[in-house]
Amino acid sequence: LDVIPIPLSAITVFLQLGSKYAIDQMRDEAIQRLSYEFPSRLQDFDELGDQLLLIEELPGLYYDVIKLARNHNIPSILPLALYFCVACEDFQPELILRGILREDGTLATLSSDDQQACLTGYYNLIRAQAAETFTWLEPNQNAALFRQCYTPKTCARTRAKLLQGLWHPWPRCIALGSWDDEWGNDMCKICTSQAITHHNIGRKKIWEKLPSLFGLPIWDELTKHQ
Ligand SMILES: [Zn+2]
């Protein structure tokens, strides 16, 4: 597999030809590229960089990937593709409903089922991230999680500031976001290590239920046939 990004349109052709003429190699390469960028295991997700490596990153890509996954029965890539549609800084429900302009002026759109999956998924993720990934920021968790802290007032104040920064004026969807070292800057070592532990436990839980947050079957079911 060359580590050169190729357009999704080429991957689509691989899949079409691969199925039509039973060329497994083409279908395999297409699925390898897609599975690399939209993995079904958290450890593979954690190894992804900021940019796509094997597929060209173009406007509307995620919508097209979702359509491709539906048309060619590659359900294992759906949870992350849907997640990337909503876990962006400037998430806009209008785009989910209206579509995104591709470079050639055509519109990349989602089916109404996938629009619904995105919008309910976004809402589910916002709720789930507060309860799981960021449970350590919940003010009422202080007593339970940070019992050993020597500077409880300072550390609680730090967490209150972080909570405000992340959730205000509206929450960003960062349910699968990794621990940011800056978050520990103004907390004691004990609190930081507790927070990291619970952050990681939380995002593992989010990963496990990611498909269900978008109304999809569990991971095992999605990866069964690949
Ligand atoms: Zn502390």
Side-chain angles (χ1 to χ4, degrees):
L1 207 62
D2 291 336
V3 188
I4 295 170
I6 62 173
L8 188 67
S9 54
I11 290 178
T12 308
V13 171
F14 286 0
L15 285 169
Q16 284 162 348
L17 291 177
S19 326
K20 192 167 176 192
Y21 301 107
I23 313 170
D24 289 343
Q25 204 187 334
M26 288 190 119
R27 185 174 163 87
D28 288 351
E29 166 154 7
I31 289 179
Q32 269 180 37
R33 284 183 184 266
L34 290 163
S35 304
Y36 177 84
E37 302 295 359
F38 306 94
S40 50
R41 297 187 322 165
L42 181 57
Q43 54 266 52
D44 296 331
F45 170 72
D46 282 338
E47 278 166 27
L48 295 179
D50 290 342
Q51 283 171 340
L52 301 188
L53 268 190
L54 301 183
I55 302 174
E56 273 181 20
E57 208 159 355
L58 294 169
L61 175 73
Y62 298 136
Y63 292 10
D64 290 334
V65 165
I66 291 166
K67 203 161 264 181
L68 194 67
R70 298 284 190 193
N71 290 342
H72 291 273
N73 193 26
I74 317 168
S76 69
I77 63 173
L78 281 172
L80 256 198
L82 288 160
Y83 177 77
F84 288 144
C85 288
V86 302
C88 43
E89 290 241 351
D90 57 343
F91 170 70
Q92 296 169 46
E94 307 91 272
L95 293 183
I96 300 287
L97 300 172
R98 211 172 47 204
I100 292 178
L101 262 191
R102 298 191 190 96
E103 281 187 335
D104 65 3
T106 59
L107 206 55
T109 55
L110 291 169
S111 71
S112 59
D113 281 353
D114 285 322
Q115 291 175 358
Q116 201 178 323
C118 276
L119 296 178
T120 53
Y122 175 76
Y123 177 76
N124 291 337
L125 280 161
I126 294 292
R127 285 177 62 121
Q129 70 183 11
E132 307 288 6
T133 318
F134 293 94
T135 182
W136 56 275
L137 279 183
E138 284 293 311
N140 57 10
Q141 293 286 351
N142 284 351
L145 291 185
F146 304 108
R147 203 171 293 139
Q148 317 277 330
C149 173
Y150 290 118
T151 54
K153 273 192 187 155
T154 315
C155 290
R157 204 179 309 131
T158 298
R159 286 190 291 275
K161 256 190 226 159
L162 287 172
L163 182 73
Q164 195 184 7
L166 288 170
W167 284 187
H168 181 83
W170 55 78
R172 281 189 299 139
C173 178
I174 43 174
L176 289 174
S178 318
W179 175 262
D180 182 338
D181 285 333
E182 282 190 7
W183 294 338
N185 281 353
D186 297 317
M187 272 193 290
C188 74
K189 281 211 171 76
I190 294 166
C191 282
T192 303
S193 116
Q194 272 289 77
I196 292 175
T197 302
H198 286 275
H199 189 85
N200 288 332
I201 293 172
R203 65 195 288 277
K204 274 202 192 95
K205 285 190 190 157
I206 298 278
W207 184 268
E208 282 313 311
K209 58 182 167 190
L210 188 64
S212 74
L213 298 178
F214 290 105
L216 296 167
I218 58 171
W219 281 115
D220 280 353
E221 197 67 35
L222 296 175
T223 55
K224 198 158 63 174
H225 299 297
Q226 272 167 230

